[in-house]
């Protein structure tokens, strides 16, 4: 998870994948709780949730769209390592089943 203020990323908070799978992810509930508290203490908000696609492009899968249904506010960052020589990161807003690419700016 990435915390920040007003859409600006400040810190990365690593979480375990409760699915223990390379194909699906669920943020481990203990990690999610701990990180949510940490972020609140820092006075920041959950700016983004990131995960990787090991074999597919950096685009939200139907599973990603379904998962985002309960959590519409963060930006979803997807890193594809399908081509290990050319990893790709893209950002999306996923709200009520609607996927929009979001501009990702590195400063
Ligand atoms: Zn995905």
């Amino acid at each position: 998870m990435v915390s920040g203020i007003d859409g600006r990323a400040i810190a990365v908070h690593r979480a375990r994948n409760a699915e223990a799978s390379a194909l699906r992810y669920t943020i481990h509930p203990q990690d999610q709780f701990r990180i949510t508290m940490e972020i609140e203490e820092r006075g920041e908000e959950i700016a983004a949730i990131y995960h990787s696609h090991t074999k597919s492009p950096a685009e939200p899968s139907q599973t990603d769209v379904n998962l985002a249904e309960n959590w519409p506010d963060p930006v979803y960052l997807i890193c594809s390592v399908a081509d290990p020589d050319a990893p790709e990161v893209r950002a999306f807003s996923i709200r009520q089943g609607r996927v929009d690419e979001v501009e990702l700016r590195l400063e």
Side-chain angles (χ1 to χ4, degrees), residues 82-96:
D83 179 353
D85 296 326
E88 185 186 22
V89 180
R90 292 170 69 189
F92 299 90
S93 144
I94 309 176
R95 288 196 167 132
Q96 294 174 328

Side-chain angles (χ1 to χ4, degrees), residues 18-66:
E19 304 277 348
S21 160
L23 300 176
R24 293 178 57 87
Y25 81 95
T26 305
I27 299 170
H28 195 291
Q30 280 173 359
D31 291 350
Q32 185 176 327
F33 181 75
R34 171 182 55 81
I35 293 167
T36 305
M37 296 309 242
E38 277 172 16
I39 290 174
E40 215 164 274
E41 271 166 33
R42 294 167 61 97
E44 297 168 6
E45 54 205 32
I46 300 163
I49 295 175
Y50 70 91
H51 71 282
S52 58
H53 284 180
T54 53
K55 295 184 169 30
S56 55
E59 287 162 15
S61 65
Q62 187 57 50
T63 309
D64 294 334
V65 173
N66 296 345

